[in-house]
Amino acid sequence: MRFQGITLTFYQVQKMIRIIYGLVLILGMLSTKDVEGRTARKLINFEYNAMSCRTHSASIIDFGGVGDGTTSNTKAFQTAVSHLSQFESDGGSLLFVPPGRWLTGSFNLTSHFTLFLDKDAVLLASQVMGEWPVIDPLPSYGRGRDAAGGRYASLIFGTNLTDVIITGNNGTIDGQGEMWWQKFHGGKLKYTRPYLIEIMFSDTLQISNLTLINSPSWNVHPVYSSNILIQGITISAPVNSPNTDGINPDSCTNTRIEDCYIVSGDDCVAVKSGWDEYGIAFGMPTKQLVIRRLTCISPTSAVIALGSEMSGGIQDVRAEDIVAINSESGVRIKTGPGRGGFVKDIYVKGFTMHTMKWAFWMTGNYGSHPDDKYDPNALPTIQNINYRDMVADNVKMAARLEGIAGDPFTGICISNVSISLDVKPKKVQWTCTDIAGVSSQVTPKTCDLIVDQGSGYETECQFPTDTLPIDDVEIKTCSCYRRYL
């Protein structure tokens, strides 16, 4: 074969073709500009752990996303999810968010869908009020938390979904909450602040391996949902920020929260099920909840709070291997007349606390009603509350346990608990009213209403030995391999 006076053998031509083909592949993987001025395709390959793997995938860049921190990507996210929803019945889909700062307002998810954030990806919550739709209040609450009436939709929102995963390799969701906190403190909110993540009326939900910072209000709020795994989440907000609860399972069944680190301006985990007459009428409890390997810092609130909105009931909560640092209380039950409902079958063990105001706190006089239509005779039932194998140091006061007159909290059991006091502790370490229970091997000595069983009659408080269905969920290793714009 001859080219302008050069003679090539057949094998030399083959070799040249292979070299040229290899160069084309390499150039295709580089982020250069093509003749139309568009960014060339990048090869993306990663693995992740999830309850479900996906057949289809796309990048937010494919839908016009720009990760410069100033361009709004709300339309890009909405368009991406709408496009990928066509694959719900064909193996599902994954939306990849690559490195960058992706400014966006609220957007909805779809079923059989994964939102995946790269480790260098940051979702930035928009500061433009028009990018936050106003939606109806939750039916079990009757009104918004900050104001009567509606509420702003969460940054990541979904309702009536199946099989939803929000994950990454520790990518970040930044709520940029300062604007909202100022509006709240200034009484300038017409509607209730948005959360970072809220999924409603859904089944099979995974939220994992993410960092959530500066939420306008609550961070993670699964509500009216079941089969939920929340795992490997880091949550951070200023400790004086208003109502920045970490994780709030609300009228949910079969939930597992584990391996999370939370610094919060409110409760780290707040278990809820509706507010007064609205929660009673809706009647959906939170039950079968596992919380394990949680580390919490919350100087003004609880590590785990049960209530105060618990009118649909809370049952079968299992918390173990918890570390509390510089927090107001370890486990707190919050309720009062008008709440109705119940908190029962609560099991806590392996709790380590450092620098606390109270180790234990139960409140039967919590106010905060949605309106004046509640029934003051709707009294809650609080029973079978078990705490065991706990250690605390630098504590101001061991316990403040306050039931309701004529409606005592019963079946309280506290065993194998050692509490060391700070240098200026309260003179009275246990205050107890309208409660009943037993204790063994507890220091300092409990109040008379928590009867010390004495030597030879040690009682080991209950902790279930069976497993819940959420513990049997299979986690798969999934992979994503494709080229993106």
Side-chain angles (χ1 to χ4, degrees):
M1 187 177 295
R2 294 179 60 87
F3 294 94
Q4 295 183 348
I6 301 173
T7 301
L8 298 176
T9 68
F10 174 77
Y11 296 104
Q12 286 173 320
V13 172
Q14 278 192 320
K15 185 175 181 180
M16 287 181 65
I17 292 173
R18 287 196 297 269
I19 292 171
I20 292 169
Y21 180 71
L23 287 172
V24 170
L25 285 179
I26 292 170
L27 290 171
M29 297 179 189
L30 298 176
S31 181
T32 57
K33 298 289 183 177
D34 65 19
V35 293
E36 298 179 13
R38 296 176 301 183
T39 303
R41 290 181 177 268
K42 293 181 178 180
L43 185 66
I44 302 296
N45 184 17
F46 59 87
E47 291 186 342
Y48 62 100
N49 296 322
M51 299 163 76
S52 301
C53 301
R54 308 303 184 195
T55 303
H56 304 272
S57 61
S59 167
I60 189 62
I61 296 175
D62 297 337
F63 302 90
V66 179
D68 60 4
T70 57
T71 302
S72 173
N73 293 283
T74 306
K75 185 64 176 177
F77 277 105
Q78 292 171 345
T79 302
V81 175
S82 177
H83 172 78
L84 292 172
S85 66
Q86 68 182 299
F87 303 115
E88 286 184 3
S89 59
D90 184 28
S93 58
L94 178 147
L95 179 62
F96 176 69
V97 182
R101 295 172 64 80
W102 307 89
L103 184 68
T104 181
S106 174
F107 62 92
N108 291 4
L109 304 184
T110 189
S111 292
H112 305 290
F113 177 83
T114 297
L115 178 67
F116 187 96
L117 273 63
D118 180 86
K119 65 182 179 64
D120 295 318
V122 179
L123 287 190
L124 286 173
S126 174
Q127 304 285 278
V128 177
M129 301 297 285
E131 295 198 284
W132 299 91
V134 175
I135 60 177
D136 291 337
L138 292 165
S140 61
Y141 284 71
R143 53 159 285 170
R145 291 293 310 275
D146 296 335
R151 59 204 186 98
Y152 294 102
S154 298
L155 182 67
I156 300 173
F157 182 72
T159 185
N160 294 296
L161 303 179
T162 301
D163 182 20
V164 175
I165 298 170
I166 306 167
T167 189
N169 49 9
N170 208 32
T172 299
I173 302 174
D174 184 348
Q176 300 201 96
E178 181 66 33
M179 174 191 76
W180 297 97
W181 306 333
Q182 290 182 4
K183 288 179 179 292
F184 173 78
H185 287 305
K188 297 179 180 179
L189 285 171
K190 185 177 179 180
Y191 305 108
T192 292
R193 288 166 287 162
Y195 308 143
L196 284 189
I197 300 172
E198 182 179 70
I199 306 295
M200 301 172 54
F201 296 110
S202 297
D203 181 73
T204 310
L205 168 65
Q206 175 185 335
I207 303 171
S208 62
N209 301 319
L210 296 168
T211 295
L212 312 182
I213 62 175
N214 300 321
S215 177
S217 185
W218 300 352
N219 281 266
V220 179
H221 185 222
V223 57
Y224 318 137
S225 297
S226 58
N227 303 313
I228 302 160
L229 174 62
I230 301 174
Q231 187 178 62
I233 299 293
T234 297
I235 295 175
S236 180
V239 294
N240 60 351
S241 55
N243 311 116
T244 51
D245 298 38
I247 302 168
N248 290 11
D250 195 343
S251 294
C252 288
T253 299
N254 204 31
T255 303
R256 186 168 113 211
I257 301 170
E258 62 186 11
D259 301 309
C260 295
Y261 177 86
I262 302 173
V263 180
S264 173
D266 211 317
D267 302 319
C268 290
V269 174
V271 186
K272 299 178 179 293
S273 65
W275 202 1
D276 286 7
E277 69 270 25
Y278 304 103
I280 294 171
F282 198 77
M284 182 178 287
T286 289
K287 58 185 180 179
Q288 296 181 318
L289 169 63
V290 175
I291 307 168
R292 59 169 70 105
R293 297 184 300 276
L294 173 75
T295 299
C296 170
I297 299 173
S298 181
T300 60
S301 293
V303 176
I304 298 174
L306 306 170
S308 72
E309 303 90 349
M310 40 62 66
S311 301
I314 297 171
Q315 185 173 15
D316 195 358
V317 177
R318 309 173 183 195
E320 59 181 321
D321 300 330
I322 312 295
V323 176
I325 303 169
N326 189 25
S327 296
E328 186 177 57
S329 57
V331 179
R332 185 181 180 191
I333 296 175
K334 300 189 288 186
T335 188
R339 287 288 194 266
F342 52 84
V343 177
K344 59 185 179 181
D345 305 333
I346 309 300
Y347 311 99
V348 181
K349 73 173 182 178
F351 217 117
T352 301
M353 296 174 272
H354 306 286
T355 309
M356 310 290 293
K357 189 171 183 179
W358 293 285
F360 306 108
W361 192 5
M362 299 182 186
T363 309
N365 59 0
Y366 204 88
S368 180
H369 301 287
D371 50 39
D372 59 2
K373 299 176 183 178
Y374 71 94
D375 178 5
N377 295 315
L379 301 178
T381 298
I382 313 298
Q383 64 184 25
N384 193 24
I385 313 297
N386 298 270
Y387 305 124
R388 57 180 268 195
D389 308 335
M390 304 173 73
V391 177
D393 60 55
N394 199 29
V395 176
K396 278 284 185 185
M397 183 175 178
R400 178 179 170 185
L401 309 179
E402 305 162 326
I404 299 172
D407 181 36
F409 299 174
T410 61
I412 299 168
C413 182
I414 306 174
S415 67
N416 190 28
V417 174
S418 176
I419 300 172
S420 301
L421 307 179
D422 77 357
V423 294
K424 294 182 179 180
K426 295 287 186 180
K427 291 183 178 179
V428 177
Q429 280 299 303
W430 290 76
T431 60
C432 304
T433 56
D434 301 299
I435 63 165
V438 297
S439 68
S440 64
Q441 297 181 303
V442 177
T443 57
K445 188 178 182 299
T446 58
C447 59
D448 291 342
L449 294 180
I450 304 294
V451 179
D452 185 351
Q453 299 297 286
S455 178
Y457 295 92
E458 289 84 356
T459 298
E460 186 177 74
C461 302
Q462 298 178 59
F463 197 93
T465 57
D466 64 329
T467 59
L468 296 176
I470 193 63
D471 278 318
D472 298 327
V473 169
E474 179 185 357
I475 299 298
K476 306 171 184 177
T477 299
C478 305
S479 60
C480 182
Y481 179 85
R482 62 158 288 170
R483 287 189 177 89
Y484 297 104
L485 284 177

